[in-house]
Structures are given as structure tokens and as C-alpha cells.
Amino acid sequence: MINIHRPRRSVLYMPGANTRALEKAKTLAADSLILDLEDAVAPDAKVAARANILAALETGFGHREAVVRINGLNTPWGADDLSAFANSKADAIVLPKVESASQIQEVATMLDKAGARSDLTIWAMIETPMAIFKLQEIASAHPKLEALVLGTSDLVKDLHARHTPSRVETLTALSLSVLVARAYGLCVLDGVHLSLDDEEGLRLSCIQGRDMGFDGKTLIHPKQIELANEFFGPSPLEITEAQERIAAYDAAIQAGAGIAVLNGKLIEELHIQDAKRILALAKAIESFASN
Ligand SMILES: CC(C)(COP(=O)(O)OP(=O)(O)OC[C@H]1O[C@@H](n2cnc3c(N)ncnc32)[C@H](O)[C@@H]1OP(=O)(O)O)[C@@H](O)C(=O)NCCC(=O)NCCSC(=O)C[C@H](O)C(=O)O
Ligand SMILES: [Mg+2]
């Protein structure tokens, strides 16, 4: 199954308590923003952060998608967060530390009762060992679920593992998450790269995530946006090759053949589906640039 989601190459977290960052976000080249009320916000600052985010959503973030990470419903703030954003201008609600379908269903029911817009979707953070074992249950919990977001910091902590350059400690979890996301038609976003000054490490992590099938990468600082946009978007060469593949295949079909060969490579219908996905993504990214 091929699903074309909106571009989410770069998905930048910012603490809701940081009004400077919320303002700065309106000028950044990130495709999506996660306005955070959870781990990046101290308990004493949660209520003020909620108000900051509500105010920032009112003026909007241009073409950038704005999603709000609420606190878990098992915390003192979760239910109030959810009702505050149910009728806001947020594009989605991110639910942290999801471990069961019922957590997603509870959020969906609360949004329905609050009369939330039908296009307000839910994203689930996958960041605990139990979440990995419940991936299929979570992914099929509710039609409002749109994306799985890997929380590799929490996962590594819960595993008693260590962050390594190869990410061997999370590869199984990353791979299972991509498999399940694709099987259920969901968007899937890779975890953050914590070392702010390690550009080479970020580059390798972007390449690895892209090659595994992730749609994009979650980020913690504006300086990480450019690399994520570069590696999770189609390159000019990939766009040209996709166009050439489609043209070669169309010519083969016109000539009565079912397959084509271009530059010594076999082209079948499945390659055309992938070429069309690449071109649709490139077109959507181009429309961002003109907005
Ligand atoms: C890490 C930071 C605290 C660093 O902030 P700061 O010291 O302000 O950095 P700079 O001086 O280099 O900032 C330069 C300018 O960029 C703006 N900025 C910085 N970070 C952001 C941001 N995230 N979004 C928007 N704008 C940002 C600064 O305001 C400066 O602007 P200007 O004044 O105009 O020059 C900070 O980067 C930060 O807080 N990052 C986000 C941390 C966060 O959200 N963490 C929680 C999410 S990660 C997570 O929990 C993943 C998951 O759950 C898991 O388990 O893995
Ligand atoms: Mg986390």
C-alpha cells in the first residue's frame, strides 16, 4: 500500500514555555512543529505554556503544520490540555507514552465530546518497550490516528541501553515501527538526535532513518532542519529519475510491453507507483516554498 502524506521531513519540537522559540518557529523551514507541553516543560510552567501555545496558534505558523504534545491523561495536566486544544487551531494532538489502543480511543472520544474539528488528528508517541509489543493494536486503534512518532530518548532510557552512532540499540524498534506504520497507512517519524553540535552524527542518522523508510525526523533545534529537509525530501536526481522511469514505462506500455528497461534497470508497475509517490512529495514540497 502506498500512502502519500503531507511532507513531514523536519518536525521540530519546542517547549511551550519558550515564547521566543514559538515566535521564531514562524520563520523556520520546518515542515511541522511540535509545540510541547510534556517533557520539555517544568511542572510549574505547564499552565502558562498551555496559554502561550493557544495564543501562538491563533496567529498561526504559515504553511507549517502545528501539533501540540499534551501531557499524558494519567497526569494532573493531561485532561485540561486536551480540552484546551480540542477546539484550537492545532492540526493534531500528540499523545506521549502510548501503550494501548484504549489510550488513543479515550482521546478520540474526548475530542468528539468536545466537538473538535473532524480533521484534528492524533499522533501517538512510541517510546516504551511495551509500545513496541503493542504496535499493531495502537496503529489500528482509531481512524483519527495519523502518525507514529518515535521517542528514542525515553526508549533508550527504559531499555537501560546507550545511544550509539549506529543506533543498534533501537534498530528493532525503529524497523518494527516503520513496518506497522506502512501496514496501517500511517505516517512514521524518526526520533531526535540529542547531540546538538554533532552535525556528522545527525547526517548519518537522517540517512539511516530515510533508508529505513521513515517519512521524516523529529528535531530539537533549528540548526537540524536543513539536513532533515535535505535527506527526507527527494533530490533533484531522484526527481529526474522518477520522471524518466514513468516516461520509459509509458512508452513500453504504448508499444505493447508490460515492462521497460532503462539504463540497464528493470522497470515494472511497482517502480512507477514509487516514482509517482516521489513526484507527489516533490510537488507538495515545492508548494511550501511558494507559500
Ligand atoms: C536545546 C535548547 C534548550 C537550546 O536553546 P538555546 O540555548 O536558546 O539555543 P540557541 O541559542 O542556539 O538558539 C538559537 C535560536 O534558535 C531558537 N531556538 C532554539 N531552539 C528552538 C526550538 N526548538 N524551536 C524554535 N526555536 C528555537 C532560539 O530561541 C534562538 O532564537 P533567536 O533568539 O532568534 O536567536 C532548545 O533548542 C530547545 O529547547 N530545544 C527543544 C527541546 C525540547 O523540546 N525537548 C523535548 C522534545 S525531545 C523529546 O522529548 C523526544 C521524545 O519524547 C523522546 O523520548 O525521545
Ligand atoms: Mg519522550
Side-chain angles (χ1 to χ4, degrees), residues 38-39 69 97 125 127 151 154:
E38 199 223 12
D39 282 352
R69 182 164 77 168
K97 301 182 178 70
M125 298 266 343
E127 50 185 348
D154 269 303

Side-chain angles (χ1 to χ4, degrees), residues 103-168:
Q103 286 170 278
I104 305 282
Q105 288 153 1
E106 191 181 357
V107 170
T109 303
M110 286 171 77
L111 290 176
D112 274 351
K113 281 192 183 149
R117 297 188 330 267
S118 60
D119 63 350
L120 177 65
T121 60
I122 302 170
W123 295 10
M125 298 266 343
I126 301 299
E127 50 185 348
T128 65
M130 186 57 76
I132 302 303
F133 286 101
K134 298 284 189 68
L135 272 168
Q136 274 187 268
E137 172 189 317
I138 293 166
S140 55
H142 197 276
K144 272 189 178 298
L145 184 70
E146 191 183 12
L148 302 180
V149 186
L150 273 291
T152 42
S153 306
D154 269 303
L155 189 58
V156 166
K157 184 256 300 170
D158 281 6
L159 290 172
H160 303 178
R162 292 176 192 201
H163 290 277
T164 67
S166 71
R167 298 204 292 170
V168 65

Side-chain angles (χ1 to χ4, degrees), residues 12-15 20-21 24 40 69 127 151-154 220-222:
L12 177 65
Y13 283 100
M14 64 206 59
R20 175 76 198 124
K24 177 105 179 162
R69 182 164 77 168
E127 50 185 348
T152 42
S153 306
D154 269 303
I220 52 171
H221 193 280

Side-chain angles (χ1 to χ4, degrees), residues 27-250:
T27 65
L28 298 173
D31 290 339
S32 308
L33 309 166
I34 299 183
L35 316 175
D36 192 20
L37 287 166
E38 199 223 12
D39 282 352
V41 180
D44 286 353
K46 299 272 190 198
V47 173
R50 197 187 286 148
N52 293 342
I53 295 176
L54 276 169
L57 285 169
E58 275 308 306
T59 44
F61 292 90
H63 71 267
R64 300 161 200 82
E65 179 180 45
V67 310
V68 179
R69 182 164 77 168
I70 63 168
N71 291 284
L73 293 183
N74 58 349
T75 70
W77 310 281
D80 288 343
D81 288 347
L82 192 54
S83 56
F85 292 99
N87 290 295
S88 71
K89 292 186 177 162
D91 292 301
I93 301 292
V94 187
L95 188 62
K97 301 182 178 70
V98 175
E99 294 193 321
S100 68
S102 61
Q103 286 170 278
I104 305 282
Q105 288 153 1
E106 191 181 357
V107 170
T109 303
M110 286 171 77
L111 290 176
D112 274 351
K113 281 192 183 149
R117 297 188 330 267
S118 60
D119 63 350
L120 177 65
T121 60
I122 302 170
W123 295 10
M125 298 266 343
I126 301 299
E127 50 185 348
T128 65
M130 186 57 76
I132 302 303
F133 286 101
K134 298 284 189 68
L135 272 168
Q136 274 187 268
E137 172 189 317
I138 293 166
S140 55
H142 197 276
K144 272 189 178 298
L145 184 70
E146 191 183 12
L148 302 180
V149 186
L150 273 291
T152 42
S153 306
D154 269 303
L155 189 58
V156 166
K157 184 256 300 170
D158 281 6
L159 290 172
H160 303 178
R162 292 176 192 201
H163 290 277
T164 67
S166 71
R167 298 204 292 170
V168 65
E169 66 283 0
T170 49
L171 279 184
T172 300
L174 297 178
S175 190
L176 285 170
S177 299
V178 175
L179 281 164
V180 168
R182 294 292 168 244
Y184 289 90
L186 301 176
C187 172
V188 62
L189 301 171
D190 200 353
V192 297
H193 188 72
L194 291 168
S195 305
L196 288 170
D197 297 326
D198 174 24
E199 191 180 317
E200 189 50 25
L202 175 65
R203 181 188 306 279
L204 293 174
S205 165
C206 286
I207 293 170
Q208 184 187 42
R210 176 204 61 192
D211 290 352
M212 291 181 80
F214 281 98
D215 292 300
K217 189 161 181 70
T218 51
L219 310 171
I220 52 171
H221 193 280
K223 68 183 170 187
Q224 298 180 321
I225 295 171
E226 196 179 336
L227 277 180
N229 282 349
E230 178 184 343
F231 288 109
F232 287 96
S235 68
L237 179 63
E238 283 170 323
I239 293 170
T240 305
E241 285 179 351
Q243 290 164 336
E244 287 173 357
R245 281 208 301 267
I246 292 171
Y249 188 75
D250 283 351

